[in-house]
């Protein structure tokens, strides 16, 4: 049978995810970019409201 009583990948797995969309670094970068875009949108709304 596939899997059996396996508890998952062994510690120090060389096949573990090291890069890609779901790494902590990539998620943090996306959150930072989203925050910057929200700030830019807020500034644009302020400038448009002042005119």
């Amino acid at each position: 049978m596939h899997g059996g009583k396996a508890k998952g990948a062994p510690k120090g797995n060389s096949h573990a995810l090291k890069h890609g969309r779901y790494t902590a670094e990539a998620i943090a970068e996306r959150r930072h970019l989203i925050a910057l875009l929200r700030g830019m949108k807020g500034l644009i709304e302020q400038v448009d409201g002042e005119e």
Side-chain angles (χ1 to χ4, degrees):
M1 289 212 284
H2 295 285
K5 294 184 179 182
K7 303 281 186 196
K11 300 259 190 242
N13 185 2
S14 64
H15 300 291
L17 180 66
K18 295 178 184 164
H19 56 82
R21 181 181 176 119
Y22 298 104
T23 59
E25 183 180 344
I27 292 169
E29 186 175 334
R30 285 195 302 272
R31 285 182 179 160
H32 180 71
L33 288 172
I34 289 168
L36 286 173
L37 289 171
R38 284 184 182 145
M40 290 170 56
K41 183 178 178 183
L43 286 173
I44 290 169
E45 289 173 357
Q46 284 181 351
V47 169
D48 285 344
E50 292 176 2
E51 292 179 8

